[in-house]
Coordinates of all heavy atoms in Angstrom, one line a residue:
M1 N 159.5 164.1 -27.9 CA 160.2 165.3 -28.0 C 159.5 166.4 -27.1 O 158.3 166.5 -27.2 CB 160.3 165.8 -29.5 CG 160.9 167.1 -29.6 SD 160.9 167.8 -31.3 CE 161.7 166.6 -32.2
I2 N 160.3 167.1 -26.3 CA 159.7 168.2 -25.5 C 160.3 169.5 -25.9 O 161.6 169.6 -26.0 CB 159.9 167.9 -24.0 CG1 159.2 166.6 -23.6 CG2 159.5 169.1 -23.2 CD1 159.4 166.2 -22.2
L3 N 159.5 170.5 -26.2 CA 160.0 171.8 -26.6 C 159.6 172.9 -25.6 O 158.4 172.8 -25.1 CB 159.3 172.2 -28.0 CG 159.5 171.2 -29.1 CD1 158.5 171.5 -30.2 CD2 160.9 171.2 -29.5
E4 N 160.4 173.8 -25.3 CA 160.1 174.8 -24.3 C 159.6 176.1 -25.0 O 160.2 176.5 -26.0 CB 161.4 175.2 -23.5 CG 161.1 176.1 -22.4 CD 162.3 176.4 -21.5 OE1 163.3 175.8 -21.7 OE2 162.1 177.1 -20.5
L5 N 158.5 176.6 -24.5 CA 157.9 177.8 -25.0 C 158.5 179.1 -24.3 O 159.1 179.0 -23.2 CB 156.4 177.8 -24.8 CG 155.7 176.7 -25.4 CD1 154.2 176.7 -25.1 CD2 155.8 176.7 -26.9
K6 N 158.4 180.2 -24.9 CA 158.9 181.5 -24.4 C 158.3 181.8 -23.0 O 159.0 182.4 -22.2 CB 158.7 182.6 -25.4 CG 159.4 183.8 -25.1 CD 159.3 184.8 -26.2 CE 160.2 186.0 -25.9 NZ 160.1 187.0 -27.0
N7 N 157.1 181.4 -22.8 CA 156.4 181.8 -21.5 C 156.8 180.8 -20.4 O 156.2 180.8 -19.3 CB 154.9 181.8 -21.7 CG 154.3 180.5 -22.1 OD1 154.9 179.5 -22.2 ND2 153.0 180.6 -22.3
G8 N 157.6 179.8 -20.7 CA 158.1 178.8 -19.7 C 157.3 177.5 -19.7 O 157.7 176.6 -19.1
N9 N 156.2 177.4 -20.4 CA 155.5 176.2 -20.6 C 156.2 175.3 -21.6 O 157.2 175.7 -22.2 CB 154.0 176.5 -21.1 CG 153.2 177.2 -20.0 OD1 153.6 177.3 -18.9 ND2 152.1 177.8 -20.4
Y10 N 155.7 174.1 -21.7 CA 156.3 173.1 -22.6 C 155.3 172.5 -23.5 O 154.1 172.4 -23.2 CB 156.9 172.0 -21.8 CG 158.0 172.4 -20.9 CD1 157.8 172.8 -19.6 CD2 159.3 172.5 -21.3 CE1 158.8 173.3 -18.7 CE2 160.4 173.0 -20.5 CZ 160.1 173.4 -19.2 OH 161.1 173.8 -18.4
I11 N 155.8 172.0 -24.7 CA 155.0 171.2 -25.6 C 155.7 169.8 -25.7 O 156.9 169.7 -26.0 CB 154.9 171.8 -27.0 CG1 154.0 173.0 -26.9 CG2 154.3 170.8 -28.0 CD1 153.8 173.8 -28.2
K12 N 154.9 168.8 -25.5 CA 155.4 167.4 -25.6 C 154.7 166.8 -26.9 O 153.5 166.7 -26.9 CB 155.1 166.6 -24.4 CG 155.6 165.1 -24.6 CD 155.2 164.3 -23.4 CE 155.6 162.9 -23.6 NZ 154.9 162.0 -22.7
I13 N 155.5 166.4 -27.9 CA 154.9 165.8 -29.1 C 154.7 164.3 -28.8 O 155.7 163.6 -28.6 CB 155.8 166.0 -30.3 CG1 155.8 167.5 -30.6 CG2 155.2 165.3 -31.5 CD1 156.8 167.9 -31.7
N14 N 153.5 163.8 -28.7 CA 153.2 162.5 -28.4 C 153.2 161.6 -29.6 O 153.7 160.4 -29.6 CB 151.8 162.3 -27.8 CG 151.7 163.2 -26.5 OD1 152.6 163.2 -25.7 ND2 150.6 163.9 -26.4
K15 N 152.7 162.1 -30.8 CA 152.6 161.3 -32.0 C 152.8 162.2 -33.2 O 152.2 163.2 -33.2 CB 151.3 160.5 -32.0 CG 151.2 159.5 -33.1 CD 149.9 158.7 -32.9 CE 149.9 157.4 -33.7 NZ 148.8 156.6 -33.5
N16 N 153.5 161.7 -34.2 CA 153.7 162.5 -35.4 C 153.7 161.5 -36.5 O 154.6 160.7 -36.7 CB 155.1 163.2 -35.3 CG 155.5 163.8 -36.6 OD1 154.8 164.0 -37.5 ND2 156.8 164.2 -36.6
T17 N 152.6 161.5 -37.3 CA 152.4 160.5 -38.3 C 152.0 161.1 -39.7 O 151.1 161.9 -39.7 CB 151.3 159.5 -37.9 OG1 151.6 159.0 -36.6 CG2 151.1 158.4 -38.8
S18 N 152.7 160.6 -40.7 CA 152.2 161.0 -42.1 C 151.0 160.2 -42.4 O 151.0 159.0 -42.3 CB 153.4 160.7 -43.1 OG 152.9 161.0 -44.4
I19 N 149.9 160.9 -42.9 CA 148.7 160.2 -43.2 C 148.3 160.2 -44.7 O 147.2 159.9 -45.0 CB 147.5 160.7 -42.3 CG1 147.3 162.2 -42.6 CG2 147.7 160.4 -40.9 CD1 146.1 162.8 -41.9
G20 N 149.3 160.5 -45.5 CA 149.1 160.5 -46.9 C 148.5 161.8 -47.4 O 148.1 162.7 -46.7
C21 N 148.4 162.0 -48.8 CA 147.9 163.2 -49.4 C 148.6 164.5 -48.9 O 147.9 165.5 -48.7 CB 146.4 163.3 -49.2 SG 145.5 162.0 -49.9
N22 N 149.9 164.4 -48.6 CA 150.7 165.5 -48.2 C 150.2 166.1 -46.8 O 150.3 167.3 -46.6 CB 150.7 166.6 -49.2 CG 151.5 166.2 -50.5 OD1 152.4 165.4 -50.4 ND2 151.0 166.7 -51.6
R23 N 149.7 165.2 -45.9 CA 149.2 165.6 -44.6 C 150.0 164.9 -43.5 O 150.3 163.8 -43.7 CB 147.7 165.4 -44.5 CG 146.9 166.2 -45.4 CD 145.5 165.9 -45.3 NE 144.7 166.6 -46.3 CZ 143.9 167.5 -46.1 NH1 143.6 167.9 -44.9 NH2 143.2 168.1 -47.1
T24 N 150.1 165.6 -42.4 CA 150.7 165.0 -41.2 C 149.8 165.2 -40.0 O 149.2 166.3 -39.9 CB 152.1 165.7 -40.9 OG1 153.0 165.4 -42.0 CG2 152.7 165.2 -39.6
Y25 N 149.6 164.2 -39.2 CA 148.8 164.2 -38.0 C 149.8 164.3 -36.8 O 150.8 163.6 -36.8 CB 148.0 162.9 -37.9 CG 147.4 162.7 -36.6 CD1 146.2 163.2 -36.2 CD2 148.0 161.8 -35.6 CE1 145.6 163.0 -35.0 CE2 147.5 161.6 -34.4 CZ 146.3 162.2 -34.1 OH 145.7 162.0 -32.8
I26 N 149.4 165.3 -35.9 CA 150.2 165.3 -34.7 C 149.3 165.4 -33.5 O 148.2 165.9 -33.5 CB 151.2 166.6 -34.7 CG1 150.4 167.9 -34.9 CG2 152.3 166.4 -35.6 CD1 151.3 169.1 -34.7
D27 N 149.8 164.7 -32.5 CA 149.1 164.7 -31.2 C 150.1 165.2 -30.2 O 151.2 164.7 -30.1 CB 148.7 163.2 -30.8 CG 148.1 163.0 -29.5 OD1 148.1 164.0 -28.7 OD2 147.7 161.9 -29.2
F28 N 149.8 166.3 -29.5 CA 150.7 166.9 -28.6 C 150.0 167.5 -27.4 O 148.8 167.6 -27.4 CB 151.5 168.1 -29.3 CG 150.7 169.2 -29.8 CD1 150.6 170.4 -29.0 CD2 150.1 169.2 -31.0 CE1 149.9 171.5 -29.5 CE2 149.4 170.3 -31.5 CZ 149.2 171.4 -30.7
T29 N 150.8 167.7 -26.3 CA 150.3 168.1 -25.1 C 151.0 169.4 -24.7 O 152.3 169.5 -24.7 CB 150.6 167.1 -24.0 OG1 150.0 165.9 -24.4 CG2 150.0 167.5 -22.6
V30 N 150.3 170.4 -24.3 CA 150.8 171.7 -23.8 C 150.8 171.5 -22.2 O 149.8 171.2 -21.7 CB 150.0 172.9 -24.2 CG1 150.6 174.2 -23.6 CG2 149.9 173.0 -25.7
I31 N 152.0 171.7 -21.6 CA 152.1 171.5 -20.2 C 152.6 172.8 -19.5 O 153.6 173.4 -19.9 CB 153.2 170.4 -19.9 CG1 152.8 169.1 -20.6 CG2 153.3 170.1 -18.4 CD1 153.9 168.1 -20.7
Q32 N 151.9 173.2 -18.5 CA 152.2 174.4 -17.7 C 153.6 174.1 -17.0 O 153.9 173.0 -16.6 CB 151.1 174.7 -16.7 CG 151.3 176.1 -16.1 CD 150.1 176.4 -15.1 OE1 149.4 175.5 -14.7 NE2 149.9 177.6 -14.9
K33 N 154.4 175.2 -16.9 CA 155.7 175.0 -16.4 C 155.8 174.4 -15.0 O 156.7 173.7 -14.7 CB 156.5 176.4 -16.4 CG 155.8 177.5 -15.6 CD 156.6 178.8 -15.8 CE 155.8 179.9 -15.4 NZ 156.4 181.2 -15.7
D34 N 154.8 174.6 -14.1 CA 154.8 173.9 -12.8 C 154.1 172.6 -12.9 O 154.1 171.9 -11.8 CB 154.1 174.8 -11.8 CG 152.6 175.1 -12.1 OD1 152.1 174.5 -13.0 OD2 152.1 176.0 -11.4
G35 N 153.6 172.1 -14.0 CA 153.1 170.8 -14.2 C 151.7 170.6 -13.7 O 151.1 169.5 -13.8
N36 N 151.0 171.7 -13.2 CA 149.7 171.6 -12.7 C 148.6 171.5 -13.8 O 147.5 171.1 -13.5 CB 149.4 172.7 -11.7 CG 150.1 172.6 -10.4 OD1 150.5 171.5 -10.0 ND2 150.4 173.7 -9.8
W37 N 148.9 171.9 -15.0 CA 147.9 172.0 -16.0 C 148.4 171.4 -17.3 O 149.5 171.6 -17.7 CB 147.6 173.5 -16.2 CG 146.6 173.8 -17.3 CD1 145.2 173.7 -17.2 CD2 146.8 174.1 -18.7 NE1 144.6 174.0 -18.4 CE2 145.6 174.3 -19.3 CE3 148.0 174.3 -19.4 CZ2 145.5 174.7 -20.6 CZ3 147.9 174.7 -20.7 CH2 146.7 174.9 -21.3
K38 N 147.6 170.6 -18.0 CA 147.9 170.0 -19.2 C 146.7 170.1 -20.2 O 145.6 170.0 -19.8 CB 148.3 168.5 -19.1 CG 149.5 168.2 -18.3 CD 149.8 166.8 -18.1 CE 151.0 166.5 -17.3 NZ 151.3 165.1 -17.2
H39 N 147.0 170.3 -21.5 CA 146.0 170.4 -22.5 C 146.4 169.6 -23.7 O 147.5 169.8 -24.2 CB 145.8 171.8 -22.8 CG 144.7 172.0 -23.9 ND1 143.4 171.8 -23.6 CD2 144.8 172.3 -25.2 CE1 142.7 172.0 -24.7 NE2 143.5 172.3 -25.7
N40 N 145.6 168.6 -24.1 CA 146.0 167.8 -25.3 C 145.4 168.4 -26.5 O 144.2 168.9 -26.5 CB 145.4 166.3 -25.1 CG 146.1 165.6 -24.0 OD1 147.3 165.8 -23.8 ND2 145.4 164.7 -23.3
E41 N 146.1 168.3 -27.6 CA 145.7 168.8 -28.9 C 146.0 167.8 -29.9 O 147.0 167.0 -29.9 CB 146.5 170.1 -29.3 CG 146.3 171.3 -28.5 CD 145.0 172.0 -28.9 OE1 144.6 171.8 -30.0 OE2 144.5 172.8 -28.1
K42 N 145.1 167.7 -30.9 CA 145.3 166.8 -32.1 C 144.9 167.6 -33.3 O 143.9 168.3 -33.3 CB 144.4 165.6 -32.0 CG 144.7 164.7 -30.8 CD 143.7 163.6 -30.6 CE 144.1 162.9 -29.3 NZ 143.1 161.8 -29.0
T43 N 145.8 167.6 -34.3 CA 145.6 168.3 -35.5 C 146.3 167.7 -36.7 O 147.1 166.8 -36.6 CB 146.0 169.8 -35.3 OG1 145.6 170.6 -36.4 CG2 147.5 169.9 -35.2
T44 N 145.9 168.1 -37.9 CA 146.6 167.8 -39.1 C 147.0 169.0 -39.9 O 146.4 170.1 -39.7 CB 145.7 166.9 -40.1 OG1 144.6 167.6 -40.4 CG2 145.3 165.6 -39.4
F45 N 148.1 169.0 -40.6 CA 148.5 170.1 -41.4 C 149.0 169.6 -42.8 O 149.4 168.4 -42.9 CB 149.5 171.0 -40.7 CG 150.8 170.3 -40.4 CD1 151.8 170.5 -41.3 CD2 151.0 169.6 -39.2 CE1 153.1 169.9 -41.1 CE2 152.2 169.0 -39.0 CZ 153.3 169.2 -39.9
L46 N 149.1 170.5 -43.7 CA 149.6 170.2 -45.1 C 151.1 170.2 -45.0 O 151.7 171.3 -44.7 CB 149.1 171.1 -46.1 CG 147.6 171.0 -46.4 CD1 147.2 172.1 -47.4 CD2 147.3 169.6 -47.0
D47 N 151.8 169.2 -45.5 CA 153.3 169.1 -45.5 C 153.8 170.2 -46.5 O 154.9 170.6 -46.4 CB 153.7 167.7 -46.0 CG 153.4 166.6 -45.0 OD1 153.1 167.0 -43.8 OD2 153.4 165.5 -45.4
T48 N 153.0 170.5 -47.5 CA 153.5 171.4 -48.5 C 153.6 172.9 -48.0 O 154.2 173.7 -48.6 CB 152.6 171.4 -49.8 OG1 151.3 171.6 -49.4 CG2 152.7 170.1 -50.5
M49 N 152.9 173.2 -46.9 CA 152.9 174.5 -46.3 C 154.0 174.7 -45.2 O 154.4 175.8 -44.9 CB 151.6 174.8 -45.7 CG 150.5 174.9 -46.8 SD 148.9 175.3 -46.1 CE 149.1 176.9 -45.5
Y50 N 154.5 173.6 -44.6 CA 155.4 173.7 -43.5 C 156.6 172.7 -43.8 O 156.3 171.6 -44.3 CB 154.8 173.4 -42.2 CG 153.6 174.4 -41.9 CD1 152.3 174.0 -42.2 CD2 153.9 175.6 -41.4 CE1 151.3 174.9 -41.9 CE2 152.8 176.5 -41.2 CZ 151.5 176.2 -41.5 OH 150.5 177.0 -41.2
Y51 N 157.8 173.0 -43.3 CA 158.9 172.1 -43.5 C 158.9 170.9 -42.5 O 159.3 169.9 -42.8 CB 160.2 172.9 -43.3 CG 160.5 173.9 -44.3 CD1 160.5 175.3 -44.0 CD2 160.7 173.5 -45.6 CE1 160.7 176.2 -45.0 CE2 161.0 174.5 -46.6 CZ 161.0 175.8 -46.3 OH 161.2 176.7 -47.3
S52 N 158.3 171.2 -41.3 CA 158.3 170.2 -40.3 C 157.2 170.4 -39.2 O 156.5 171.5 -39.3 CB 159.6 170.1 -39.6 OG 159.8 171.3 -38.8
V53 N 157.0 169.5 -38.3 CA 156.1 169.7 -37.2 C 156.5 170.9 -36.4 O 155.6 171.7 -36.0 CB 156.0 168.4 -36.3 CG1 155.2 168.7 -35.1 CG2 155.5 167.3 -37.1
I54 N 157.7 171.1 -36.1 CA 158.2 172.3 -35.4 C 157.9 173.6 -36.1 O 157.4 174.5 -35.5 CB 159.7 172.1 -35.0 CG1 159.9 171.0 -34.1 CG2 160.2 173.4 -34.4 CD1 161.3 170.6 -33.8
D55 N 158.1 173.6 -37.4 CA 157.8 174.8 -38.2 C 156.3 175.1 -38.1 O 155.9 176.2 -38.0 CB 158.2 174.5 -39.7 CG 158.0 175.7 -40.6 OD1 158.2 176.8 -40.1 OD2 157.6 175.5 -41.7
Y56 N 155.4 174.1 -38.1 CA 154.0 174.3 -38.0 C 153.7 174.8 -36.6 O 152.9 175.8 -36.5 CB 153.3 172.9 -38.2 CG 151.8 173.0 -37.8 CD1 150.9 173.7 -38.7 CD2 151.3 172.5 -36.7 CE1 149.5 173.7 -38.3 CE2 150.0 172.5 -36.3 CZ 149.1 173.2 -37.2 OH 147.8 173.3 -36.8
L57 N 154.2 174.2 -35.6 CA 153.9 174.7 -34.2 C 154.5 176.1 -33.9 O 153.9 176.8 -33.2 CB 154.5 173.7 -33.2 CG 153.8 172.3 -33.1 CD1 154.6 171.4 -32.2 CD2 152.4 172.5 -32.7
E58 N 155.5 176.5 -34.6 CA 156.1 177.9 -34.4 C 155.1 178.9 -34.9 O 155.2 180.1 -34.6 CB 157.4 178.0 -35.1 CG 158.6 177.4 -34.3 CD 159.9 177.5 -35.0 OE1 159.9 177.6 -36.2 OE2 160.9 177.5 -34.3
N59 N 154.2 178.5 -35.8 CA 153.2 179.5 -36.3 C 152.1 179.7 -35.3 O 151.3 180.6 -35.4 CB 152.6 179.0 -37.6 CG 153.6 179.2 -38.8 OD1 154.0 180.3 -39.0 ND2 154.0 178.2 -39.4
I60 N 152.0 178.8 -34.3 CA 150.9 178.9 -33.3 C 151.5 179.4 -32.0 O 150.9 180.2 -31.3 CB 150.3 177.5 -33.1 CG1 149.7 177.1 -34.4 CG2 149.2 177.6 -32.0 CD1 149.3 175.6 -34.4
Y61 N 152.7 178.8 -31.6 CA 153.3 179.1 -30.3 C 154.7 179.8 -30.5 O 155.3 179.7 -31.5 CB 153.6 177.8 -29.5 CG 152.3 177.0 -29.2 CD1 151.9 176.0 -30.0 CD2 151.5 177.4 -28.2 CE1 150.7 175.2 -29.8 CE2 150.3 176.7 -27.9 CZ 150.0 175.6 -28.7 OH 148.8 174.9 -28.4
T62 N 155.1 180.5 -29.5 CA 156.4 181.1 -29.5 C 157.4 180.3 -28.7 O 157.3 180.2 -27.5 CB 156.4 182.6 -28.9 OG1 155.3 183.3 -29.6 CG2 157.7 183.3 -29.1
F63 N 158.5 179.8 -29.4 CA 159.5 179.0 -28.7 C 160.6 179.9 -28.2 O 160.8 181.0 -28.7 CB 160.1 177.9 -29.7 CG 159.1 176.9 -30.0 CD1 158.5 176.8 -31.3 CD2 158.7 175.9 -29.1 CE1 157.6 175.9 -31.7 CE2 157.7 175.0 -29.5 CZ 157.2 174.9 -30.7
K64 N 161.4 179.4 -27.2 CA 162.5 180.1 -26.7 C 163.6 180.1 -27.7 O 163.8 179.2 -28.5 CB 163.0 179.4 -25.4 CG 162.6 180.1 -24.2 CD 163.3 179.6 -23.0 CE 162.9 180.5 -21.8 NZ 163.5 180.0 -20.6

């Protein structure tokens, strides 16, 4: 899944896995709009605090 950010960059979700104990692991890449720069991120979050991976990412990044 690729999501467009308000600044024109993109987020590509590489992996989204439930790891138990109400936690989800996500591996995603932030890609600059011209494709010259990429940054990989890996994190976990509590399912009880967010409805979905997109809901979690919206608390960090601003989507279009």
Side-chain angles (χ1 to χ4, degrees):
M1 174 186 301
I2 296 177
L3 307 166
E4 187 173 1
L5 300 175
K6 192 172 186 177
N7 65 3
N9 293 344
Y10 297 92
I11 289 180
K12 178 184 176 197
I13 298 174
N14 303 318
K15 191 173 192 177
N16 172 12
T17 308
S18 178
I19 56 174
C21 298
N22 295 325
R23 293 175 188 248
T24 297
Y25 165 83
I26 56 172
D27 175 351
F28 63 96
T29 304
V30 180
I31 304 167
Q32 191 175 23
K33 58 185 164 187
D34 60 9
N36 289 332
W37 177 83
K38 294 180 182 180
H39 179 72
N40 292 327
E41 292 280 340
K42 296 175 184 174
T43 190
T44 59
F45 66 91
L46 292 173
D47 295 343
T48 55
M49 294 180 66
Y50 302 98
Y51 294 113
S52 66
V53 171
I54 294 173
D55 185 38
Y56 170 75
L57 291 172
E58 282 179 332
N59 284 302
I60 302 168
Y61 299 99
T62 305
F63 293 108
K64 261 191 172 178

